C-alpha cells in the first residue's frame, strides 16, 4: 500500500537525503555495521560494513552505466571481488541484463549486485521498515496498515499459538545448551547476552533466562562455583546431534571438493551459506544478504561459469535435511511490531492501557526502584516491552482516582507503622495496599536503607494528611507525565456495559463498577487505536473479548505476547543465522508450526483463516507460564 508513494519520494530525493534512506535499505537487507564514508562529490558515496569483502557505492548519478563501470574497476583495484551498487534511478530488467552481458567491463572479475529505485521502494514499503523510512522522509504513516486475512492469521499464529511458543522456547533451550557445549563454565549474564545477540534482539533476554531456569530445573544445566555447565546427559545429546549433522556434511564436502576442485574450507563455506538460503526458501541467485554472500563465494572461488551446476548440487545436499523446517524458525524470529499491528485491528497506533493495579507498581518502580514482587516484576517487564515496541502507555482517568484513593488509605497505616517492630514490618510486603507493599520491598535496599521513611515515600506521591483527592490526583498525573505516561479522559459509561460489569463484579463497590464500566465503554467505542489492556482483573478481560483490536490480559501474559516480537527499529535488525538452531532444536516442534503455517497458506476462505486466528488466541491463555516466571524479564 506504501510502494507508489515511497517510489516517488525516493526518486525525487536530493543526494544527502538519499544516502540516509539507502542506509535504511541496506540495513533492512541484513548488511551489518554500516557507515557512510566521505566521498569526492561526484554523485556517489562509499559505505563501509563489517563484511569487508564487499564494496558498496551509493549513487544518484543519471549515467549509471558509466558510474558503475568506474566503481567496479576501483573495486577490483582494491582487491575485492564483489561490488554492490545502490541508486535511486530506475533500471529496467532488460537494461540491467544488456549492461551486464555486453557493457560491464569487470564481468568475470567482480561480482555485481544492483539495487535500483524499484528494489529500494519495494523493500522499504514492507511492514517492519515503513515507519523508520517515513520518519526519515518526514512523511506520515497511515494509521491503518494493509493486511489480508492470511497475514492476520499468520501473525496471530506466530504471536499467540501454542506451537509458536513451544518452538521458540525449545530453540532458546537448544541455543543455551549448544552455547554451553562450546563454552562451558560461563556466567549467567554472559550466556543470556550471547543467546539474545544470536537472534538480534534484546526482547529475547527474558525468554532466554526463563529457558535457562527450565533447563536448571530439569538438571540439564548445573551451577558450579558461580558458573554454568551442561550435565553429562545434555552434553551427550548435543554431541550426538552435532555428529549426525557433521557426518552428512562431510559427504557433501567430499562431493563438492571432487567436483569443483576446491578446498574443504571453501566447500564448508558454500554449504553453510546455502543451508541458510534453503532454510528460508530463498533463491541462490537472489539479492538478500545470504544470497549475496553466496554470489561472493562463487566469485572468490572462480566458479561463476559453473554456478548453475553448483546451484543444483547445493540444492541436493545430504545435510540439507536440517533446513527442512527452517522457514518456521525464520518466521518465529522475524516477527516484529508490525505483526502486533496486524493482530490488533491493523492499527499502527497501539496503546497500552493500564488499570490501577498495574499503573501503581509501575509508577513506584520508575520513581524509586522496582520491587521483586508479582506486581512489581510484571509492571517493570511490561514497561520495558512497551518501550521496545514504541507503544504508548496510558492510564484511564477513573483509575487515577483509584490510585489517589488507594494512597489515602496508605496514610492510615502511617501512625501504626511507626509503632510496630521490625518483624511485623517485613510481613507488610504482602500487604493488600500497593503503597505499603512496595515500600516494604524497597526500604531495605542499600540506596534507601535508613534514608527513606514511609512518610517520605508517600509524600512523594502527594500523600499528606491535608491533601484533597483532587490534589493527589494532580500530583500523580504530573509524575506519570514525567515518564511519558498519559492520563486519558473517558466517555460516560453506557447503561448496557455498566449492567454487564455489575454482573461480573457483583461484590464490588458501585464506584469501582462505575470506573470499570467507563473504561470498558471507552475500549468498545474508541476504534482509532489498537489496545493492549493490562489488568490483573480477569472479569474485565471477559468484557472486551472477541474484539480483534484489543488484547486484554494480565501483565505476565501481555509481556509474553509482546516478547514474541522484535522491535520494528531497523537499526537493531540483522540477518540471523538459523543453522545452529536447526541442528539442535526438536524437529517435531518445528514441524508442528510449519504445518500450521502451511495450513494458513492453503486456506481459501475467510472462515478458515478466521478459525486459525481464533484458535491461536484461544490457546494462548492455556500456554502462558505463571507470573512468577516473569522474574527473568526484570532488570534493575
Amino acid at each position: 500500500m506504501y510502494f507508489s508513494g515511497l517510489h516517488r519520494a525516493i526518486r525525487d530525493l536530493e543526494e544527502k537525503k538519499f544516502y540516509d534512506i539507502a542506509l535504511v535499505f541496506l540495513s533492512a537487507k541484513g548488511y551489518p555495521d554500516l557507515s557512510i564514508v566521505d566521498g569526492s562529490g561526484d554523485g556517489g558515496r562509499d559505505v563501509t560494513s563489517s563484511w569487508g569483502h564487499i564494496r558498496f557505492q551509493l549513487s544518484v548519478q543519471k549515467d549509471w552505466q558509466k558510474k558503475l563501470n568506474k566503481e567496479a574497476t576501483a573495486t577490483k583495484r582494491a582487491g575485492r571481488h564483489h561490488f554492490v551498487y545502490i541508486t535511486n534511478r530506475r533500471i529496467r530488467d532488460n537494461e540491467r541484463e544488456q549492461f551486464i552481458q555486453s557493457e560491464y567491463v569487470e564481468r568475470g572479475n567482480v561480482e555485481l549486485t544492483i539495487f535500483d529505485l524499484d528494489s529500494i521502494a519495494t523493500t522499504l514499503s514492507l511492514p517492519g521498515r515503513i515507519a523508520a523510512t517515513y520518519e526519515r522522509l518526514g512523511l506520515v504513516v497511515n494509521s491503518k496498515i494493509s493486511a489480508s486475512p492470511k497475514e492476520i492469521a499468520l501473525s496471530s499464529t506466530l504471536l499467540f499459538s501454542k506451537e509458536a511458543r513451544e518452538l521458540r522456547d525449545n530453540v532458546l533451550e537448544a541455543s543455551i545448551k549448544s552455547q554451553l557445549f562450546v563454552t562451558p563454565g560461563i556466567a549467567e549474564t554472559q550466556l543470556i547476552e550471547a543467546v539474545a545477540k544470536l537472534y538480534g534482539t534484546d526482547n529475547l533476554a527474558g525468554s532466554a533466562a526463563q529457558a535457562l531456569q527450565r533447563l536448571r530445573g530439569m538438571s540439564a544445566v548445573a551451577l558450579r562455583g558461580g558458573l554454568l555447565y551442561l550435565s553429562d546427559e545434555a552434553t551427550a545429546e548435543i554431541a550426538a546431534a552435532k555428529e549426525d549433522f557433521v557426518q552428512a556434511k562431510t559427504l557433501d564436502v567430499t562431493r563438492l571438493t571432487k567436483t569443483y576442485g576446491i578446498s574443504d574450507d571453501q566447500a564448508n563455506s558454500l554449504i553453510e551459506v546455502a543451508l541458510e538460503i534453503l532454510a528460508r526458501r530463498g533463491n541462490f541467485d537472489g539479492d538478500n544478504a545470504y544470497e549475496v554472500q553466496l554470489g561472493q563465494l562463487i566469485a572468490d572461488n572462480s566458479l561463476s561459469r559453473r554456478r548453475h551446476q553448483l546451484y543444483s548440487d547445493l540444492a541436493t545436499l545430504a545435510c540439507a535435511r536440517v533446513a527442512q523446517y527452517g522457514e518456521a524458525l525464520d518466521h518465529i524470529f522475524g516477527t516484529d511490531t508490525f505483526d502486533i499491528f496486524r493482530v490488533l485491528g491493523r492499527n499502527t497506533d497501539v496503546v497500552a492501557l493500564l488499570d490501577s493495579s498495574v499503573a501503581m507498581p509501575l509508577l513506584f518502580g520508575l520513581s524509586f526502584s522496582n520491587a521483586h514482587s508479582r506486581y512489581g516484576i510484571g509492571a517493570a517487564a511490561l514497561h520495558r516491552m512497551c518501550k521496545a515496541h514504541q507503544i504508548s502507555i496510558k492510564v484511564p482517568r477513573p483509575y487515577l482516582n483509584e490510585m489517589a484513593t488507594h494512597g489515602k488509605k496508605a496514610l492510615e497505616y502511617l501512625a501504626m507503622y511507626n509503632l510496630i517492630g521490625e518483624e511485623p514490618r517485613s510481613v507488610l510486603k504482602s500487604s493488600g495496599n500497593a503503597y505499603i507493599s512496595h515500600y516494604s520491598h524497597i526500604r531495605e535496599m542499600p540506596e534507601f536503607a535508613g534514608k527513606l521513611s514511609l512518610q517520605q515515600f508517600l509524600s512523594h506521591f502527594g500523600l499528606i494528611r491535608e491533601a484533597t483527592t483532587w490534589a493527589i490526583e494532580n500530583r500523580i498525573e504530573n509524575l506519570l507525565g514525567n515518564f511519558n505516561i498519559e492520563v486519558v479522559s473517558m466517555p460516560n459509561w453506557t447503561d448496557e456495559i455498566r449492567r454487564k460489569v455489575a454482573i461480573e463484579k457483583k461484590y464490588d463497590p458501585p464506584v469501582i463498577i462505575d470506573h470499570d464500566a467507563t473504561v470498558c465503554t471507552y475500549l468498545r467505542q474508541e476504534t482509532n487505536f489498537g489496545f493492549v489492556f493490562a489488568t490483573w482483573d480477569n472479569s474485565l478481560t471477559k468484557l472486551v473479548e472477541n474484539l480483534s483490536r484489543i488484547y486484554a490480559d494480565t501483565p505476565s501474559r501481555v509481556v509474553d505476547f509482546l516478547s514474541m516480537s522484535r522491535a520494528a527499529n531497523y537499526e537493531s535488525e540483522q540477518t540471523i543465522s538459523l543453522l545452529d538452531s536447526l541442528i539442535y532444536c526438536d524437529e517435531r516442534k518445528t514441524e508442528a508450526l510449519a504445518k500450521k503455517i502451511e495450513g494458513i497458506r492453503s486456506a481459501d476462505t475467510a472462515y478458515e483463516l478466521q478459525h486459525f486466528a481464533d484458535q491461536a488466541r484461544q490457546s494462548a491463555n492455556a500456554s502462558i507460564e505463571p507470573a512468577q516466571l516473569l522474574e527473568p524479564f526484570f532488570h534493575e
Side-chain angles (χ1 to χ4, degrees):
M1 78 182 268
Y2 298 108
F3 174 79
S4 59
L6 271 183
H7 197 274
R8 289 192 301 272
I10 295 171
R11 180 193 64 197
D12 298 332
L13 284 175
E14 55 91 15
E15 188 175 337
K16 290 185 179 179
K17 276 286 187 182
F18 171 65
Y19 296 157
D20 286 343
I21 293 301
L23 282 185
V24 178
F25 168 75
L26 288 172
S27 182
K29 280 292 185 182
Y31 297 102
D33 305 320
L34 299 161
S35 62
I36 292 178
V37 179
D38 288 338
S40 58
D42 61 350
R45 190 67 63 90
D46 282 345
V47 172
T48 62
S49 164
S50 57
W51 287 359
H53 56 278
I54 299 177
R55 182 167 179 258
F56 300 86
Q57 172 80 189
L58 312 179
S59 178
V60 296
Q61 192 164 311
K62 290 182 180 180
D63 188 358
W64 60 270
Q65 296 96 328
K66 180 180 179 181
K67 176 69 174 174
L68 203 155
N69 273 328
K70 174 186 174 184
E71 297 300 337
T73 300
T75 302
K76 181 184 176 182
R77 284 201 305 268
R80 302 183 193 179
H81 301 286
H82 196 142
F83 177 47
V84 177
Y85 183 77
I86 308 98
T87 178
N88 69 337
R89 303 298 169 185
R90 188 183 183 200
I91 303 175
R92 291 179 172 83
D93 289 342
N94 62 324
E95 294 176 323
R96 184 193 312 245
E97 189 61 28
Q98 180 182 345
F99 171 78
I100 292 173
Q101 294 300 324
S102 61
E103 300 175 48
Y104 182 42
V105 298
E106 298 298 342
R107 185 182 177 195
N109 297 318
V110 176
E111 185 76 13
L112 175 63
T113 299
I114 300 174
F115 294 122
D116 73 339
L117 175 60
D118 287 354
S119 300
I120 297 170
T122 298
T123 297
L124 296 183
S125 64
L126 296 175
R129 326 290 184 202
I130 189 65
T133 307
Y134 266 48
E135 182 180 347
R136 290 294 180 97
L137 292 171
L139 302 176
V140 177
V141 180
N142 195 316
S143 62
K144 285 279 187 180
I145 62 170
S146 151
S148 68
K150 280 193 176 181
E151 289 171 327
I152 294 169
L154 178 60
S155 292
S156 298
T157 297
L158 293 171
L159 295 180
F160 291 112
S161 73
K162 178 182 178 183
E163 291 84 0
R165 185 167 285 104
E166 287 184 346
L167 175 57
R168 184 188 63 161
D169 290 346
N170 177 255
V171 168
L172 291 175
E173 289 172 10
S175 296
I176 287 171
K177 288 189 285 188
S178 65
Q179 184 74 35
L180 287 175
F181 182 81
V182 175
T183 55
I186 188 173
E188 179 175 339
T189 53
Q190 292 175 297
L191 176 63
I192 299 304
E193 285 175 6
V195 172
K197 184 178 180 181
L198 181 65
Y199 296 103
T201 173
D202 288 339
N203 283 14
L204 280 176
S207 297
Q210 284 187 0
L212 177 59
Q213 284 186 350
R214 289 192 298 272
L215 290 173
R216 291 186 64 184
M218 295 183 290
S219 299
V221 173
L223 183 68
R224 298 197 297 269
L227 301 176
L228 295 166
Y229 297 85
L230 276 182
S231 68
D232 292 342
E233 183 179 351
T235 299
E237 174 195 331
I238 294 296
K242 187 171 183 177
E243 179 61 25
D244 183 55
F245 172 74
V246 168
Q247 285 182 2
K249 187 180 178 185
T250 300
L251 296 175
D252 293 321
V253 168
T254 301
R255 181 164 63 121
L256 291 181
T257 54
K258 287 183 178 179
T259 303
Y260 298 98
I262 56 179
S263 68
D264 286 359
D265 287 344
Q266 290 168 327
N268 268 304
S269 297
L270 286 168
I271 290 169
E272 289 180 3
V273 174
L275 289 176
E276 296 288 350
I277 297 169
L278 290 170
R280 294 168 169 82
R281 293 189 182 183
N283 298 311
F284 286 140
D285 58 352
D287 60 12
N288 284 319
Y290 280 110
E291 294 155 3
V292 169
Q293 269 195 295
L294 180 61
Q296 171 69 33
L297 289 171
I298 289 171
D300 286 347
N301 297 319
S302 303
L303 296 172
S304 296
R305 298 184 185 279
R306 304 179 67 185
R307 69 167 62 229
H308 294 296
Q309 179 190 350
L310 179 62
Y311 289 163
S312 177
D313 289 338
L314 292 176
T316 56
L317 292 168
C319 63
R321 181 179 175 277
V322 75
Q324 181 179 6
Y325 300 115
E327 191 184 22
L329 246 65
D330 199 28
H331 274 300
I332 282 290
F333 294 107
T335 54
D336 60 24
T337 303
F338 276 75
D339 288 286
I340 295 174
F341 291 168
R342 289 191 191 100
V343 302
L344 295 179
R346 299 178 296 114
N347 290 286
T348 60
D349 288 329
V350 174
V351 172
L353 209 63
L354 313 185
D355 82 353
S356 56
S357 67
V358 182
M360 283 188 287
L362 175 57
L363 178 58
F364 302 157
L366 292 172
S367 299
F368 291 91
S369 182
N370 294 302
H372 286 263
S373 66
R374 177 180 183 234
Y375 295 102
I377 292 170
L382 177 62
H383 183 255
R384 192 164 70 87
M385 285 293 118
C386 287
K387 281 186 67 178
H389 291 291
Q390 299 177 0
I391 293 173
S392 61
I393 300 176
K394 298 184 180 182
V395 176
R397 191 163 294 282
Y399 293 152
L400 182 67
N401 176 262
E402 291 183 12
M403 294 170 73
T405 303
H406 211 63
K408 291 184 76 172
K409 289 182 179 177
L411 279 172
E412 299 173 7
Y413 287 88
L414 190 56
M416 180 186 69
Y417 186 88
N418 291 331
L419 294 174
I420 62 177
E422 195 59 33
E423 186 175 341
R425 286 180 180 176
S426 63
V427 174
L428 290 175
K429 289 180 180 178
S430 58
S431 169
N433 186 280
Y435 291 85
I436 300 297
S437 174
H438 194 94
Y439 174 76
S440 299
H441 274 91
I442 69 169
R443 71 184 184 91
E444 296 173 355
M445 293 180 178
E447 61 266 41
F448 301 121
K451 304 172 187 175
L452 180 70
S453 67
L454 176 58
Q455 184 174 2
Q456 290 171 319
F457 176 80
L458 294 176
S459 66
H460 176 75
F461 302 103
L463 295 166
I464 55 178
R465 295 201 179 277
E466 61 272 20
T468 64
T469 301
W470 177 266
I472 297 169
E473 287 181 14
N474 287 345
R475 172 65 174 178
I476 294 174
E477 182 173 1
N478 182 67
L479 292 174
L480 288 169
N482 290 341
F483 300 111
N484 296 315
I485 300 172
E486 180 186 347
V487 175
V488 59
S489 297
M490 305 275 110
N492 293 328
W493 44 260
T494 65
D495 291 338
E496 178 189 9
I497 290 178
R498 194 190 186 285
R499 282 196 298 271
K500 291 183 181 297
V501 174
I503 291 170
E504 289 288 335
K505 310 186 74 171
K506 56 187 175 182
Y507 299 114
D508 283 13
V511 66
I512 298 297
I513 294 172
D514 288 347
H515 288 170
D516 291 340
T518 300
V519 174
C520 288
T521 298
Y522 172 73
L523 287 170
R524 290 290 298 270
Q525 293 180 353
E526 179 54 78
T527 59
N528 293 324
F529 299 95
F531 286 101
V532 174
F533 182 31
T535 174
W536 293 102
D537 190 338
N538 290 331
S539 62
L540 289 181
T541 62
K542 296 178 184 177
L543 295 167
V544 292
E545 64 183 354
N546 291 328
L547 289 172
S548 63
R549 57 189 171 76
I550 301 171
Y551 177 58
D553 223 322
T554 63
S556 55
R557 290 170 176 163
V558 168
V559 168
D560 197 85
F561 160 63
L562 295 177
S563 68
M564 290 291 285
S565 297
R566 63 199 303 177
N569 181 343
Y570 80 92
E571 291 175 327
S572 69
E573 293 178 12
Q574 58 182 327
T575 301
I576 66 167
S577 171
L578 299 177
L579 189 54
D580 283 346
S581 300
L582 287 166
I583 293 171
Y584 301 118
C585 71
D586 187 338
E587 186 176 303
R588 293 168 300 177
K589 297 189 186 299
T590 54
E591 182 182 15
L593 181 61
K595 285 181 176 178
K596 277 275 189 181
I597 293 171
E598 195 56 44
I600 291 170
R601 284 179 173 155
S602 60
D604 293 324
T605 67
Y607 162 76
E608 291 175 297
L609 292 165
Q610 188 63 51
H611 175 70
F612 278 107
D614 292 343
Q615 189 180 49
R617 282 208 176 201
Q618 289 168 5
S619 66
N621 286 355
S623 60
I624 307 290
E625 297 181 356
Q628 286 82 349
L629 291 184
L630 273 172
E631 178 85 26
F633 286 98
F634 176 72
H635 297 285
E636 289 288 355

